[in-house]
Amino acid sequence: MDVLTRRRFLVASGVVGATALAGGAAAYRLNDLLATAGDRDPEARTLVLVTLYGGNDGLNTVVPYADPAYRDARPDLAYAAEDVLRLDDGFGLNPALPGLHRAYGAGRLAVVRGVGYPKPDRSHFRSMDIWQTAQPDRPGTTGWLGRWLDRAGGDPRLAVSFEPALPPLLAGERGAGASVPVPDRETAPQLGAETLTALAAAAPDDSPARARAAACFADLRAVDAMVAQVRAAPAGEEAEDDGESAPATATGGARVSLDAQLDLVARCVEADVTTRVFSVSLGGFDTHADEKQLQQVLLGQLDGALTRFADRMARTEAGRKVVVAVYSEFGRRVRANASDGTDHGTASNVLLLGAPVDGGLYGEPPSLTDLDDGDLKHTTDFRDVYATVLERVLDTDPGAVLGDWRGRLTGVL
């Protein structure tokens, strides 16, 4: 990714300073990664981090179908027991996740429930900053994987993003990861411009919640256009704007499909490049209205991309050392709103997928009746997940990255 795009994104997000920008400012392409093939420790594992931007509804992803409080809180959004893909007698996966359900049955998918942090924040921007810096008390100026990169030697190619802008989580104190553009490739047909424009426009008779949903989508399109404009500007030139920098948004996500991003990850893993961390993303989960169908479409995209990637990884020795972690900046509120959607919430699920994963259900499921101002109380601190990944996948001391954090997930890797 070019210097300009990285600078604009990091400055807008408020994360990382000039030193890291200078350390990670070089532009990288796929060939730069492939040039490192063969230089990797054959025993090293690889982390693929999937960010679901917008706040995925965890209760309709890992469904507590047997809990009457679930049906009472969202009668029109709740899934019936016969519709979910059962994990046990109380929980099941969304019907759009058949591939992940098969992975669970094969012992390769771990579902960590109730993941969150103290004093949760419902702002997309603030919460994503917290998740990406791993500093819930006060989001810092470096990302948790950027701090790992500092300790691992600082080569930007060790931590790579296939997203349109370098995410703050890959920004370290002395350098930053590499953001590599995804080449154009054929993807599934997308919604037309007329449909997208209609989705971003509130109708006169819309409820307040539906109007908020349209405004969120309009904001997403505006930021998406800004990123595209910046990327298209000639090297060394600023894109024209109205004098104000558009902010980075946590409701975004990569412009290209998750399939395309994971295809590049797979090529790199199969080529045995030195990269230890890959960051990819899928956006659109800010479901304030008409949630059920939209979330199913998005989860179907997630399921298809992850399933194809996991099946491909299972064919090689290097692929069998890959761990995929899927998270979102927060879940949604327990009770549905008046527009067949859900509003910003707190605790949610983290999914871990891959051959090194000991599949199953982890973490205490949050109560649907003992709530904090209508929100779930987290039962697993997200730093427990990060510490486990740092220790068991990236072979590093979590305390040096997470401020001496001592929590762990037992037995998942």
Side-chain angles (χ1 to χ4, degrees):
M1 179 178 201
D2 58 59
V3 179
L4 173 61
T5 310
R6 178 180 288 111
R7 181 167 68 252
R8 284 287 296 273
F9 181 81
L10 291 174
V11 169
S13 69
V15 177
V16 84
T19 303
L21 285 177
Y28 287 90
R29 300 273 174 186
L30 181 61
N31 285 342
D32 296 313
L33 305 184
L34 297 177
T36 70
D39 296 337
R40 178 190 181 90
D41 177 355
E43 299 303 316
R45 286 178 171 175
T46 300
L47 172 66
V48 179
L49 194 65
V50 182
T51 303
L52 305 181
Y53 284 103
N56 179 44
D57 183 1
L59 290 177
N60 270 15
T61 301
V62 181
V63 183
Y65 68 88
D67 190 336
Y70 165 70
R71 297 187 298 276
D72 292 344
R74 40 175 73 188
D76 294 323
L77 282 185
Y79 285 95
E82 59 269 22
D83 293 330
V84 302
L85 304 172
R86 295 196 181 196
L87 303 177
D88 64 7
D89 291 337
F91 291 85
L93 292 180
N94 187 288
L97 300 172
L100 292 182
H101 186 249
R102 289 192 296 274
Y104 183 88
R108 293 184 288 109
L109 176 70
V111 178
V112 188
R113 299 169 293 185
V115 183
Y117 55 86
K119 299 179 181 179
D121 196 298
R122 297 195 192 105
S123 162
H124 290 293
F125 309 97
R126 176 80 171 181
S127 191
M128 187 55 77
D129 276 350
I130 288 171
W131 273 88
Q132 296 210 5
T133 64
Q135 295 171 312
D137 295 333
R138 182 180 181 183
T141 58
T142 58
W144 68 283
L145 287 171
R147 297 193 293 274
W148 166 81
L149 180 63
D150 283 342
R151 293 178 54 82
D155 184 342
R157 293 171 297 180
L158 288 173
V160 171
S161 170
F162 287 125
E163 300 163 90
L166 185 76
L169 68 94
L170 297 186
E173 182 67 32
R174 298 184 296 275
S179 188
V180 177
V182 179
D184 291 336
R185 54 165 273 184
E186 290 187 6
T187 58
Q190 303 296 310
L191 294 176
E194 184 177 342
T195 302
L196 294 174
T197 300
L199 288 172
D205 57 346
D206 274 350
S207 67
R210 287 183 188 272
R212 287 198 307 273
C216 287
F217 190 74
D219 176 66
L220 169 59
R221 293 196 74 203
V223 173
D224 190 53
M226 181 274 290
V227 172
Q229 182 185 24
V230 171
R231 290 189 60 150
E237 294 185 15
E238 291 285 348
E240 294 182 3
D241 57 31
D242 58 4
E244 296 184 3
S245 296
T249 176
T251 61
R255 289 172 55 82
V256 296
S257 71
L258 183 59
D259 249 329
Q261 296 170 73
L262 289 176
D263 176 65
L264 292 190
V265 174
R267 289 177 61 185
C268 290
V269 171
E270 290 163 352
D272 213 22
V273 303
T274 60
T275 308
R276 297 290 305 279
V277 174
F278 294 95
S279 177
V280 298
S281 65
L282 176 65
F285 287 92
D286 200 18
T287 50
H288 289 275
D290 300 325
E291 175 185 310
K292 203 167 188 178
Q293 181 177 0
L294 173 59
Q295 192 197 25
Q296 277 202 20
V297 170
L298 292 169
L299 291 180
Q301 294 175 8
L302 176 70
D303 184 77
L306 287 180
T307 300
R308 285 184 284 274
F309 178 74
D311 289 346
R312 186 170 170 180
M313 291 298 91
R315 300 180 195 138
T316 65
E317 188 62 31
R320 289 189 286 273
K321 292 184 172 65
V322 171
V323 174
V324 180
V326 184
Y327 78 101
S328 194
E329 68 262 35
F330 45 60
R332 315 297 289 191
R333 291 177 73 79
V334 175
R335 187 165 296 280
N337 62 29
S339 300
D340 296 329
T342 51
D343 296 324
H344 300 175
T346 54
S348 191
N349 315 289
V350 170
L351 306 180
L352 298 173
L353 173 69
V357 174
D358 188 1
L361 293 172
Y362 292 83
E364 185 70 21
S367 170
L368 301 189
T369 54
D370 179 18
L371 303 175
D372 179 11
D373 190 25
D375 282 325
L376 299 173
K377 297 178 180 178
H378 81 279
T379 58
T380 300
D381 195 292
F382 74 120
R383 288 166 290 185
D384 291 358
V385 180
Y386 287 178
T388 304
V389 167
L390 286 164
E391 188 173 77
R392 304 292 294 171
V393 179
L394 298 180
D395 308 309
T396 198
D397 174 18
V401 175
L402 301 175
D404 204 30
W405 185 260
R406 298 185 181 278
R408 302 288 189 278
L409 292 177
T410 304
V412 70
L413 291 170

